Amino acid sequence: QVQLVESGGGLVQPGGSLRLSCTASGSVFAIDTMGWYRQAPGNQRDLVAVWRFGGSTRYADSVKGRFTISRDINKNTVNLQMNSLKPEDTAVYYCNSNLRTNSRTRAEYWGQGTQVTVSS
């Protein structure tokens, strides 16, 4: 059993910063990818940023230069530092991971989502 636990969401003014964190717990053998998606009301769920095994990262064009994703390998944790936040960043942010369990089974997991609201 694997769970993704998210934290760090909240309300912030435009131009402010938030730091999201997601930790994979349970029978985790290795993490292949780990990152964040977001979904605003009426919109589809879109990739925000992802970390891939080997250290490569990918960002949505809308967040490049403002958001930074990083991994804490020993803690099975991914962080998303969000700076210069805009109202358009308001959404529910979901942690996502493609990983291998201790039984070496590949699977995809989602967190429950954490609300980020950018408003003055």
Side-chain angles (χ1 to χ4, degrees), residues 35-77:
W36 292 91
Y37 290 70
R38 67 186 181 187
Q39 186 170 21
N43 291 10
Q44 64 182 5
R45 188 175 298 184
D46 295 321
L47 174 71
V48 177
V50 63
W51 177 95
R52 298 178 181 270
F53 179 81
S56 65
T57 58
R58 179 160 60 95
Y59 297 89
D61 288 341
S62 59
V63 307
K64 287 180 179 178
R66 300 187 296 122
F67 292 9
T68 302
I69 191 167
S70 61
R71 277 290 316 279
D72 187 331
I73 303 297
N74 294 328
K75 296 182 178 180
N76 289 333
T77 294

